[in-house]
């Protein structure tokens, strides 16, 4: 049914850049949530939940000037004048939570995941919203190739278990902050020696965060810069070589993208993104951030994580018909008279402990609405509770009807489902 609202009625229009999620696409969200939760739990990752808003300084201190200066954050003041921000991402919220609640224990890794809406004031377009859902995973107190591989393989397992098979991880190795500084000099040199005009935003980036010039879709110059690997030192090279060998041994689908920089301030070492076939935007991204915690608590906490854009993932699954969109009701009781309700409720108790999806009409309906009801609910079985003596079970899939009595009803339903 088309919306009956007048377009000028702003109160009932959702704000620009936001989305409504309802059936059938909400079934996909639920499915994604179930699949990822199962995989992460099996790998001993635990759920964390942090507030939707945090103090502004948490982000201004660690995200990098670029995002803040270009006003991508939803910042507001509360009644006491405190500056707060609707969270734009989860890695810093995790760090704040872990530090505030003393969750780190030396010598032990921490494994967390979160599922939450994030807010960024971006120009809305397909797959880019101002409020969007992310699944984030953070592995803390863990360095080295096995930790990097755990995160990469976990990400791959999530995609594969959702039926996505055709993808390659684009990876790059940023190295330490010193290596990054050397590359920034290379970027500046290239720009000085070329006649390219930078966009307004990149003129600012040139001074403050040259790495992000590579992310700019307006300038589109990422391919004029030398490959990142020219600034790798011996330590970087030896890590990359071991990682390459390891990934190749496990047939991991990856390729180097030396223009990938993921311009947030906190990244070091391995970074990666996955874009799915025929999609312009990345479905997920992540990387190592070994120096973030030491900046806050003067303690070495090597860490790596990733975030999946759940809305983009669900769009992809829907468009490519990779999940069954229909939630099927197993059993619908069509009640035509009030005398049935008490018995129906005791009957439902019997089915409480199995996985059947069951529904019934909460007020008696005339029998003439039976076929309309089947069409609307599309149940596997419909039980017509009409006259007292005889009950009709309609197997809507097999298109068969069975007459039964109240005594036999439960057994008959069980028998049909056991086939
Ligand atoms: P990021 O935190 O920028 O690394 O983003 C991680 C993932 O979140 C991206 O790969 C996207 O799939 C998703 N994402 C980021 N920004 C948006 C947005 N504005 N709208 C929808 N999804 C987004």
């Amino acid at each position: 049914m088309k919306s009956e609202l007048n377009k000028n009625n702003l109160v009932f229009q959702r704000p620009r850049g936001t989305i409504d999620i309802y059936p059938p696409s909400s079934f996909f969200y639920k499915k994604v949530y179930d699949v990822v939760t199962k995989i992460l739990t099996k790998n001993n990752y635990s759920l964390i939940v942090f507030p939707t808003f945090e103090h502004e300084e948490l982000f201004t201190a660690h995200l990098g000037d670029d995002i803040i200066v270009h006003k991508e954050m939803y910042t507001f003041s509360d009644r006491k004048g405190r500056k707060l921000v609707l969270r734009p991402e989860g890695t810093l919220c995790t760090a704040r939570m872990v530090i505030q609640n003393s969750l780190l224990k030396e010598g032990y890794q921490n494994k967390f995941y979160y599922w939450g809406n994030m807010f960024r004031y971006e120009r809305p377009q397909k797959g880019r919203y101002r409020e969007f859902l992310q699944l984030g995973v953070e592995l803390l107190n863990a360095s080295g190739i096995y930790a990097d591989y755990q995160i990469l393989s976990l990400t791959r397992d999530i995609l594969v278990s959702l039926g996505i098979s055709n993808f390659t991880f684009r990876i790059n190795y940023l190295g330490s902050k010193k290596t990054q500084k050397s590359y920034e000099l290379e970027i500046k040199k290239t720009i000085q020696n070329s006649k390219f005009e930078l966009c307004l935003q990149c003129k600012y980036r040139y001074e403050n965060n040259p790495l992000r010039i590579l992310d700019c879709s307006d300038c589109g110059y990422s391919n004029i810069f030398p490959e990142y690997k020219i600034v790798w030192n011996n330590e970087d090279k030896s890590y990359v070589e071991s990682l390459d060998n390891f990934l190749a041994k496990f047939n991991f689908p990856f390729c180097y993208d030396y223009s990938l920089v993921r311009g947030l301030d906190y990244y070091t070492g391995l970074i990666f993104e996955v874009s799915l076939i025929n999609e312009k935007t990345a479905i997920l991204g992540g990387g190592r951030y070994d120096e973030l915690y030491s900046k806050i608590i003067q303690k070495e906490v090597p860490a790596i994580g990733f975030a999946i854009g759940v809305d983009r993932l669900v769009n992809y699954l829907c468009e490519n018909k990779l999940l069954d969109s229909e939630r099927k009701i197993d059993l619908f009781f069509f009640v035509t008279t009030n005398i049935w309700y008490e018995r129906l409720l005791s009957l439902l108790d019997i089915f409480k402990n199995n996985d059947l999806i069951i529904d019934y009409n909460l007020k008696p309906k005339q029998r003439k609405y039976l076929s309309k009801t089947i069409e609307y609910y599309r149940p596997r079985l419909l039980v017509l509770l009409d006259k007292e003596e005889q009950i009709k079970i309609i197997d809507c899939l097999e298109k068969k009807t069975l007459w039964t009595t109240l005594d036999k009803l439960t057994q008959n339903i069980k028998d049909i489902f056991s086939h």
Side-chain angles (χ1 to χ4, degrees):
M1 190 171 63
K2 276 228 150 95
S3 167
E4 286 151 18
L5 286 171
N6 178 336
K7 277 223 155 109
N8 297 326
N9 187 342
L10 272 186
V11 176
F12 287 101
Q13 305 290 331
R14 43 168 202 275
R16 190 166 142 74
T18 60
I19 49 172
D20 293 320
I21 302 170
Y22 48 88
S25 80
S26 56
F27 301 149
F28 289 100
Y29 280 79
K30 165 87 172 39
K31 175 79 186 178
V32 169
Y33 182 78
D34 290 346
V35 167
V36 296
T37 310
K38 195 165 166 200
I39 294 178
L40 290 163
T41 309
K42 268 171 73 116
N43 283 279
N44 199 26
Y45 282 76
S46 309
L47 176 72
I48 52 172
V49 181
F50 33 71
T52 310
F53 54 90
E54 297 271 358
H55 290 293
E56 187 189 28
E57 300 88 78
L58 178 65
F59 303 102
T60 46
H62 302 288
L63 275 188
D65 263 7
D66 199 59
I67 286 177
I68 294 135
V69 170
H70 295 291
K71 300 191 174 53
E72 282 179 21
M73 294 207 298
Y74 276 91
T75 310
F76 62 99
S77 301
D78 70 6
R79 289 187 190 187
K80 292 257 167 78
R82 285 174 283 239
K83 284 274 197 181
L84 300 165
V85 163
L86 293 180
R87 57 190 185 198
E89 56 100 84
T91 299
L92 286 166
C93 304
T94 307
R96 200 270 309 137
M97 172 192 235
V98 161
I99 292 166
Q100 180 168 4
N101 297 288
S102 311
L103 302 183
L104 293 167
K105 192 161 189 312
E106 216 159 306
Y108 293 90
Q109 64 228 13
N110 290 68
K111 299 165 129 190
F112 296 123
Y113 72 93
Y114 53 85
W115 171 275
N117 43 352
M118 304 295 161
F119 304 83
R120 293 183 197 169
Y121 197 91
E122 296 190 270
R123 197 164 11 145
Q125 50 182 277
K126 185 179 176 241
R128 176 162 296 135
Y129 311 114
R130 290 182 173 169
E131 179 180 10
F132 57 97
L133 196 61
Q134 271 192 348
L135 164 83
V137 174
E138 312 289 349
L139 171 59
L140 312 178
N141 248 340
S143 59
I145 282 177
Y146 305 131
D148 286 357
Y149 185 67
Q150 177 169 116
I151 284 294
L152 289 173
S153 58
L154 204 55
T155 321
R156 177 200 50 199
D157 291 351
I158 289 173
L159 295 180
V160 170
S161 59
L162 288 165
I164 302 171
S165 50
N166 225 343
F167 57 85
T168 298
F169 279 66
R170 284 181 292 116
I171 69 174
N172 198 5
Y173 190 78
L174 292 181
S176 64
K177 284 286 167 209
K178 208 167 147 209
T179 308
Q180 289 180 40
K181 284 272 166 278
S182 314
Y183 193 65
E184 286 177 3
L185 289 179
E186 293 295 331
I187 293 177
K188 288 187 163 181
K189 247 197 289 175
T190 312
I191 291 170
Q192 281 159 13
N193 295 337
S194 74
K195 294 190 180 72
F196 291 113
E197 182 69 16
L198 294 175
C199 73
L200 208 62
Q201 202 162 339
C202 284
K203 281 185 179 145
Y204 174 86
R205 289 170 170 158
Y206 181 87
E207 295 302 335
N208 299 283
N209 187 359
L211 274 190
R212 270 214 118 190
I213 294 176
L214 272 73
D215 284 339
C216 181
S217 52
D218 289 341
C219 293
Y221 296 147
S222 57
N223 54 6
I224 66 166
F225 299 106
E227 294 192 323
Y228 197 98
K229 64 179 176 185
I230 65 159
V231 293
W232 286 343
N233 58 30
N234 287 342
E235 208 182 317
D236 297 330
K237 282 183 195 149
S238 109
Y239 192 86
V240 169
E241 198 184 321
S242 320
L243 184 70
D244 282 358
N245 289 338
F246 197 74
L247 293 180
K249 196 174 266 170
F250 284 90
N251 280 330
F252 191 84
F254 76 103
C255 65
Y256 274 90
D257 176 351
Y258 297 112
S259 65
L260 180 68
V261 286
R262 297 187 52 69
L264 295 186
D265 254 13
Y266 54 62
Y267 283 117
T268 52
L270 173 72
I271 52 168
F272 58 92
E273 272 188 6
V274 174
S275 307
L276 298 172
I277 295 205
N278 297 331
E279 296 293 312
K280 279 198 207 119
T281 48
I283 205 116
L284 65 90
R288 183 160 276 291
Y289 50 96
D290 285 349
E291 293 170 27
L292 174 65
Y293 282 75
S294 59
K295 273 196 190 152
I296 310 171
I297 50 171
Q298 287 77 48
K299 212 185 211 178
E300 293 288 310
V301 183
I304 179 165
F306 67 89
I308 299 183
V310 180
D311 311 286
R312 286 186 193 172
L313 181 61
V314 168
N315 284 346
Y316 182 84
L317 294 171
C318 283
E319 280 166 15
N320 291 279
K321 302 191 173 33
L322 287 176
L323 285 177
D324 186 1
S325 70
E326 239 178 287
R327 190 188 61 153
K328 306 241 173 8
I329 295 184
D330 295 301
L331 192 51
F332 191 90
F333 291 91
F334 187 93
V335 187
T336 61
T337 141
N338 269 321
I339 54 168
W340 273 110
Y341 280 104
E342 270 182 36
R343 276 176 289 177
L344 172 59
L345 294 178
S346 356
L347 193 75
L348 290 181
D349 259 359
I350 300 169
F351 292 103
K352 231 181 208 163
N353 293 328
N354 59 33
D355 291 336
L356 297 182
I357 301 177
I358 302 176
D359 204 353
Y360 54 94
N361 48 310
L362 292 163
K363 273 187 178 169
K365 249 188 179 175
Q366 290 174 29
R367 228 187 125 147
K368 65 176 181 188
Y369 294 112
L370 181 65
S371 40
K372 281 245 152 56
T373 303
I374 293 180
E375 214 174 283
Y376 183 79
Y377 286 100
R378 294 149 144 284
R380 160 92 164 82
L381 281 193
L382 182 133
V383 178
L384 174 62
L385 299 176
D386 194 1
K387 299 193 194 82
E388 285 223 41
E389 287 304 309
Q390 286 227 298
I391 296 165
K392 197 173 176 183
I393 302 180
I394 303 172
D395 187 332
C396 307
L397 271 192
E398 308 267 322
K399 300 205 173 13
K400 277 197 270 184
T401 301
L402 174 80
W403 289 98
T404 186
T405 58
L406 190 58
D407 284 348
K408 289 198 188 140
L409 179 62
T410 323
Q411 194 49 49
N412 279 337
I413 293 174
K414 284 183 178 163
D415 286 348
I416 294 173
F417 277 111
S418 67
H419 282 151

